[in-house]
Amino acid sequence: MSIELRHFRCFLAIADTLSVTRAAERLHLTQPAVSRTLRQLEQELGVRLVDRSTHHLALTSEGLRFLDQAALAIAAFDRALRLARGAAWPLRLGHAWSAAGPYTPRLLRRWHEEHPDTPLELLRIDDRTAGLARGDVDAALLRGEVRTPGLVTELLLTEERVAGLAADDPLAARPHLSLTDLADRTLALNTVSGTTTLDLWPPHARPASTVTIGNTDDWLAAITGGRAVGVTTTATARMHPLPTMAYVPLTDAPPVPVVLAWRDEPGHPALADLRRLAREVLREGDR
C-alpha cells in the first residue's frame, strides 16, 4: 500500500477534532472507514500517531511531529491545484486575536489599493501561530514570544497591557491598577493563543484561581459574566469596546511585542510587499 492524500486528510481531521466520530462527519465517511484509513497510515509509517488507550483521543509525540508536516503537504497540494486552474493566489494573513489592532482597516485598505490583483485574506485561527506552522496561512500577526521552529519574525510594535474587567467591577473605576490588585481574583487565561500566564505575577502574589478559555470571545464572556478578570493588551480594548467591559491600564506589567511571522522557506511571492506595508502601517501609528 502507498500513502495517499486521503490518509493525510483523515489524520488531520482526527487531529483537529480529536474524535473519530467528528472526523468521519467532517469527511462524510463512516467511522470504520476513518479508523481503517488511520490504521493504514500508521502501518505504512511504522509509528503510532494517535493514542486510543484512553477515553479521549490524543496525538502521540510522533503524531504531533507529523501533524505540521502533513498540514503543510496538504496546503501545498491544494494551492497548486488552485494555481493550475487559473484561480487567483490570495495572500492569507492569520491572527489569533485582534489582528493588527486599530490599524487593521488601514492595512487592509492600503493593500487593496496597492495590490488589487492579489487578494489579502485575513483569517482568525485560534492557534499559537494562527495556522502558520500548519500551512493554513502565508504569514501571521502574532503577539508575545514566538518559539516555533522554522518561523521568522519581524517586530512591528509593542502594546501596553491592561486589566479586563466587567464594567460594574469595583476596580473598573480606578485610573490604573497593578498586577497585585488582581491577585485575589479568578483570572481568565487563554491557554491556546494568549500572552498572559501566571508568571507575570510574583510567586507570592499570584491570582487565587484561574478559568481556562480558548479564544477572545470566551475570554470576554467569562469577564462580562462576572466569572473572572483578565489581562490583555490595548489592542483588545480598542477592538472590543463593549459597554459591559472596562479596560484599566496596568502600571507594572511588561508590554507585549506584536510581530509579523512567516515560514523560513520560499512562500507567497507577495510576502515581501506585505512585510513592507505592515511595517509602514503599524509603525506610523496614529500619525
Side-chain angles (χ1 to χ4, degrees), residues 215-258:
N215 56 61
T216 300
D217 293 338
D218 291 346
W219 184 86
L220 291 167
I223 294 172
T224 57
R227 296 178 59 209
V229 299
V231 173
T232 185
T233 76
T234 51
T236 305
R238 297 183 69 170
M239 295 294 285
H240 301 278
L242 304 176
T244 52
M245 279 289 295
Y247 300 96
V248 182
L250 287 166
T251 58
D252 57 350
V256 174
V258 180

Side-chain angles (χ1 to χ4, degrees), residues 169-192:
D169 191 294
L171 296 178
R174 297 193 187 181
H176 52 75
L177 295 168
S178 67
L179 288 169
T180 54
D181 290 324
L182 307 177
D184 62 346
R185 308 293 292 276
T186 297
L187 181 70
L189 288 180
N190 181 346
T191 57
V192 175

Side-chain angles (χ1 to χ4, degrees), residues 86-120:
W89 187 354
L91 179 58
R92 301 161 303 167
L93 178 60
H95 73 105
W97 50 279
S98 293
Y103 313 117
T104 304
R106 188 184 308 172
L107 176 63
L108 297 178
R109 287 177 178 271
R110 284 276 303 275
W111 181 268
H112 178 69
E113 293 168 358
E114 299 179 18
H115 305 277
D117 295 329
T118 304
L120 179 61

